[in-house]
Amino acid sequence: MYLADSRHTPASDTAPAPRPGRPARIATTVLALGTVSLVTDVSSEMVTAVLPLYLVTVMAVSPLGFGVLDGVYNGATVVIRLLGGLLADRPGGHDAHGHGTDGHGRHKAVAAAGYGLSALCKPALLLARTTPVLGLVLAVDRAGKGLRTAPRDALISLSTPPERRARAFGVHRAMDTVGALAGPLLAFLILRAAPGGYHAVFTVSACVAALGVLVLVLCVPARPGGMVGGVLPLPAGRPVARLLRLPGLRRVCLCAALLGLATLSDSFVYLFAQRRLGLPAGWFPLLPLGTAAVYLLLAVPLGAAGDRYGRRRVFVLGHLALLSGYALLLLRPAGGLPVAAVVLTLHGLFYAATDGMLAAATAAVVPASRQGAGLALVSTGQAAGRFGCSLTVGVLWARWGDGAALAAVTAALAGAVAVAAYVLRPGPALGKEAA
């Protein structure tokens, strides 16, 4: 991905050069945003963990209605991500001396709007009594997530020197994953203490979400000090068209979309694991925790490895791990739970090796003034690709069975990884890979 040799990159004044033998410190902005994401994920994952049961047992939603709501919940962010990035990158007007401002203060404002929108939706779940109203609340909640993602990642990249971005994103994603682990466990404890107490879960979730917004407002600076960005100038033209004229970003975006088209959603991975490995239905709610635990353990060390040894290598390694997990499910070996543990380990390794690496790659080839839009463009392409993969796999599964669907996506991923490894090879557009 970002292949520039860090020895030739100017240092940022946000984090001084590390002493020999000591790791570089993480910028305060990154840690603050990690805390916001941790708290917010506790809130959102509490809802995600109980929502299917709530829809079926309390709201009596039909299977078709559930499918529509699930699609809204997972697809609403795709529509709004690019808008969030473009809004965050808009010029900020003029300062008190009449000089133009670069608009980076908008990143925090747009991110806060996204977090605030999602926080307001949590108590609204208590008032939703019909399926259409519930669908609207879920759509607005996910729109808030889409709105905040690109500006938040832009703040991380702008506050971190380019040679340490993969590690910074790894730290943020690890903190985020702590929340993803804690949320379902907290929801489980609430329901155990008050069986059927879904409204209690929503109430606690609303309070936690409000705390996340408060941390963002009080602890995250509007303008990261010593901002650093891509070294390429931005061509003239409309914002998105100008970004796509940058050869490095074009290559990263193409690979993100192509790999997304061959990447199963988490729900499909867990369904395939449960069905093809014969796992008891009672184990199903714990499968996401396995992926999240591995992600938490490996996000920071793999981010540091990407900065040191080359992000392209780590990115491709992560997709090869995912390909191995698909192959295991396709071969259907005996073993049940132990094989499932291996698959979940490979699944978590995939996320740890690719999520932060993709963001660092994008930040490296986009000017500082367009970090939000550039990150949003790549993540939108990736999300749209994964949405297309889910639709395709669903059709194949319904028509020819889960084996044929899994075989098709495994073959597609093998081809996509080969193409991505070639397209992302070191070159003028992406720079020289770190040794």
mmCIF file of all heavy atoms in Angstrom, residues 38-48 118-119 122 179 183 201 204-210:
data_model
loop_
_atom_site.group_PDB
_atom_site.id
_atom_site.type_symbol
_atom_site.label_atom_id
_atom_site.label_comp_id
_atom_site.label_asym_id
_atom_site.label_seq_id
_atom_site.Cartn_x
_atom_site.Cartn_y
_atom_site.Cartn_z
ATOM 1 N N LEU A 38 -13.650 3.595 21.303
ATOM 2 C CA LEU A 38 -13.863 2.516 22.282
ATOM 3 C C LEU A 38 -15.222 2.688 22.957
ATOM 4 O O LEU A 38 -16.034 1.749 23.012
ATOM 5 C CB LEU A 38 -12.733 2.550 23.308
ATOM 6 C CG LEU A 38 -12.637 1.394 24.325
ATOM 7 C CD1 LEU A 38 -11.213 1.324 24.894
ATOM 8 C CD2 LEU A 38 -13.623 1.541 25.475
ATOM 9 N N VAL A 39 -15.458 3.891 23.481
ATOM 10 C CA VAL A 39 -16.719 4.141 24.192
ATOM 11 C C VAL A 39 -17.912 4.003 23.243
ATOM 12 O O VAL A 39 -18.942 3.389 23.580
ATOM 13 C CB VAL A 39 -16.700 5.541 24.834
ATOM 14 C CG1 VAL A 39 -18.056 5.869 25.453
ATOM 15 C CG2 VAL A 39 -15.603 5.629 25.895
ATOM 16 N N THR A 40 -17.778 4.553 22.031
ATOM 17 C CA THR A 40 -18.885 4.493 21.071
ATOM 18 C C THR A 40 -19.171 3.067 20.639
ATOM 19 O O THR A 40 -20.336 2.683 20.452
ATOM 20 C CB THR A 40 -18.562 5.365 19.849
ATOM 21 O OG1 THR A 40 -18.323 6.704 20.265
ATOM 22 C CG2 THR A 40 -19.714 5.351 18.850
ATOM 23 N N ASP A 41 -18.115 2.257 20.479
ATOM 24 C CA ASP A 41 -18.331 0.867 20.071
ATOM 25 C C ASP A 41 -18.992 0.046 21.171
ATOM 26 O O ASP A 41 -19.732 -0.893 20.878
ATOM 27 C CB ASP A 41 -17.002 0.225 19.644
ATOM 28 C CG ASP A 41 -16.992 -0.088 18.162
ATOM 29 O OD1 ASP A 41 -17.581 0.694 17.396
ATOM 30 O OD2 ASP A 41 -16.430 -1.129 17.774
ATOM 31 N N VAL A 42 -18.714 0.364 22.426
ATOM 32 C CA VAL A 42 -19.441 -0.301 23.502
ATOM 33 C C VAL A 42 -20.938 -0.068 23.312
ATOM 34 O O VAL A 42 -21.760 -0.997 23.397
ATOM 35 C CB VAL A 42 -18.983 0.222 24.885
ATOM 36 C CG1 VAL A 42 -19.897 -0.325 25.982
ATOM 37 C CG2 VAL A 42 -17.547 -0.186 25.171
ATOM 38 N N SER A 43 -21.298 1.176 23.029
ATOM 39 C CA SER A 43 -22.708 1.529 22.831
ATOM 40 C C SER A 43 -23.308 0.836 21.612
ATOM 41 O O SER A 43 -24.369 0.206 21.697
ATOM 42 C CB SER A 43 -22.830 3.049 22.684
ATOM 43 O OG SER A 43 -24.122 3.420 22.286
ATOM 44 N N SER A 44 -22.638 0.950 20.455
ATOM 45 C CA SER A 44 -23.217 0.413 19.222
ATOM 46 C C SER A 44 -23.257 -1.107 19.225
ATOM 47 O O SER A 44 -24.231 -1.712 18.749
ATOM 48 C CB SER A 44 -22.432 0.929 18.009
ATOM 49 O OG SER A 44 -21.088 0.511 18.064
ATOM 50 N N GLU A 45 -22.220 -1.764 19.780
ATOM 51 C CA GLU A 45 -22.206 -3.229 19.777
ATOM 52 C C GLU A 45 -23.192 -3.807 20.777
ATOM 53 O O GLU A 45 -23.625 -4.954 20.631
ATOM 54 C CB GLU A 45 -20.794 -3.741 20.051
ATOM 55 C CG GLU A 45 -19.796 -3.437 18.942
ATOM 56 C CD GLU A 45 -20.217 -4.028 17.598
ATOM 57 O OE1 GLU A 45 -20.779 -5.133 17.570
ATOM 58 O OE2 GLU A 45 -19.988 -3.367 16.575
ATOM 59 N N MET A 46 -23.544 -3.050 21.814
ATOM 60 C CA MET A 46 -24.626 -3.496 22.703
ATOM 61 C C MET A 46 -25.914 -3.659 21.907
ATOM 62 O O MET A 46 -26.639 -4.660 22.065
ATOM 63 C CB MET A 46 -24.842 -2.469 23.819
ATOM 64 C CG MET A 46 -23.784 -2.421 24.895
ATOM 65 S SD MET A 46 -24.142 -1.129 26.120
ATOM 66 C CE MET A 46 -25.636 -1.780 26.857
ATOM 67 N N VAL A 47 -26.204 -2.686 21.056
ATOM 68 C CA VAL A 47 -27.420 -2.742 20.240
ATOM 69 C C VAL A 47 -27.316 -3.841 19.193
ATOM 70 O O VAL A 47 -28.255 -4.627 18.997
ATOM 71 C CB VAL A 47 -27.670 -1.380 19.569
ATOM 72 C CG1 VAL A 47 -28.837 -1.468 18.593
ATOM 73 C CG2 VAL A 47 -27.934 -0.315 20.622
ATOM 74 N N THR A 48 -26.159 -3.916 18.514
ATOM 75 C CA THR A 48 -25.983 -4.923 17.467
ATOM 76 C C THR A 48 -26.155 -6.334 18.014
ATOM 77 O O THR A 48 -26.708 -7.208 17.336
ATOM 78 C CB THR A 48 -24.582 -4.778 16.837
ATOM 79 O OG1 THR A 48 -24.454 -3.451 16.300
ATOM 80 C CG2 THR A 48 -24.366 -5.789 15.732
ATOM 81 N N SER A 118 -25.613 9.515 15.786
ATOM 82 C CA SER A 118 -25.770 8.132 16.238
ATOM 83 C C SER A 118 -26.200 8.069 17.698
ATOM 84 O O SER A 118 -27.013 7.222 18.081
ATOM 85 C CB SER A 118 -24.454 7.367 16.048
ATOM 86 O OG SER A 118 -24.144 7.218 14.678
ATOM 87 N N ALA A 119 -25.658 8.975 18.535
ATOM 88 C CA ALA A 119 -26.026 8.978 19.951
ATOM 89 C C ALA A 119 -27.505 9.300 20.135
ATOM 90 O O ALA A 119 -28.178 8.719 20.996
ATOM 91 C CB ALA A 119 -25.158 9.993 20.700
ATOM 92 N N LYS A 122 -29.961 6.261 19.764
ATOM 93 C CA LYS A 122 -30.070 5.205 20.777
ATOM 94 C C LYS A 122 -31.338 5.358 21.620
ATOM 95 O O LYS A 122 -32.109 4.400 21.760
ATOM 96 C CB LYS A 122 -28.811 5.196 21.656
ATOM 97 C CG LYS A 122 -27.525 4.923 20.901
ATOM 98 C CD LYS A 122 -27.583 3.611 20.136
ATOM 99 C CE LYS A 122 -26.238 3.240 19.519
ATOM 100 N NZ LYS A 122 -25.771 4.181 18.488
ATOM 101 N N GLY A 179 -13.859 -1.913 22.636
ATOM 102 C CA GLY A 179 -15.274 -1.593 22.749
ATOM 103 C C GLY A 179 -16.156 -2.629 22.093
ATOM 104 O O GLY A 179 -17.232 -2.969 22.611
ATOM 105 N N GLY A 183 -18.997 -4.400 24.410
ATOM 106 C CA GLY A 183 -20.407 -4.140 24.173
ATOM 107 C C GLY A 183 -21.304 -5.363 24.293
ATOM 108 O O GLY A 183 -22.270 -5.356 25.081
ATOM 109 N N VAL A 201 -31.132 -2.322 27.793
ATOM 110 C CA VAL A 201 -29.931 -2.302 26.959
ATOM 111 C C VAL A 201 -29.862 -1.017 26.151
ATOM 112 O O VAL A 201 -28.808 -0.357 26.079
ATOM 113 C CB VAL A 201 -29.899 -3.533 26.014
ATOM 114 C CG1 VAL A 201 -28.726 -3.432 25.035
ATOM 115 C CG2 VAL A 201 -29.802 -4.816 26.817
ATOM 116 N N VAL A 204 -28.957 2.034 28.503
ATOM 117 C CA VAL A 204 -27.537 2.075 28.854
ATOM 118 C C VAL A 204 -26.705 2.452 27.630
ATOM 119 O O VAL A 204 -25.745 3.230 27.717
ATOM 120 C CB VAL A 204 -27.082 0.719 29.431
ATOM 121 C CG1 VAL A 204 -25.567 0.708 29.662
ATOM 122 C CG2 VAL A 204 -27.814 0.418 30.731
ATOM 123 N N SER A 205 -27.080 1.910 26.477
ATOM 124 C CA SER A 205 -26.367 2.231 25.236
ATOM 125 C C SER A 205 -26.425 3.726 24.947
ATOM 126 O O SER A 205 -25.425 4.337 24.530
ATOM 127 C CB SER A 205 -26.980 1.453 24.068
ATOM 128 O OG SER A 205 -26.413 1.860 22.839
ATOM 129 N N ALA A 206 -27.572 4.361 25.173
ATOM 130 C CA ALA A 206 -27.716 5.802 24.935
ATOM 131 C C ALA A 206 -26.809 6.603 25.859
ATOM 132 O O ALA A 206 -26.173 7.585 25.434
ATOM 133 C CB ALA A 206 -29.176 6.215 25.133
ATOM 134 N N CYS A 207 -26.718 6.205 27.112
ATOM 135 C CA CYS A 207 -25.852 6.908 28.068
ATOM 136 C C CYS A 207 -24.384 6.777 27.676
ATOM 137 O O CYS A 207 -23.619 7.753 27.748
ATOM 138 C CB CYS A 207 -26.079 6.365 29.477
ATOM 139 S SG CYS A 207 -27.737 6.654 30.138
ATOM 140 N N VAL A 208 -23.981 5.589 27.261
ATOM 141 C CA VAL A 208 -22.590 5.368 26.862
ATOM 142 C C VAL A 208 -22.267 6.165 25.601
ATOM 143 O O VAL A 208 -21.182 6.750 25.475
ATOM 144 C CB VAL A 208 -22.327 3.861 26.645
ATOM 145 C CG1 VAL A 208 -20.910 3.632 26.126
ATOM 146 C CG2 VAL A 208 -22.533 3.089 27.950
ATOM 147 N N ALA A 209 -23.206 6.214 24.645
ATOM 148 C CA ALA A 209 -22.987 6.979 23.412
ATOM 149 C C ALA A 209 -22.808 8.458 23.718
ATOM 150 O O ALA A 209 -21.958 9.139 23.118
ATOM 151 C CB ALA A 209 -24.162 6.778 22.457
ATOM 152 N N ALA A 210 -23.598 8.996 24.648
ATOM 153 C CA ALA A 210 -23.457 10.399 25.032
ATOM 154 C C ALA A 210 -22.087 10.661 25.647
ATOM 155 O O ALA A 210 -21.472 11.717 25.412
ATOM 156 C CB ALA A 210 -24.564 10.778 26.020
#
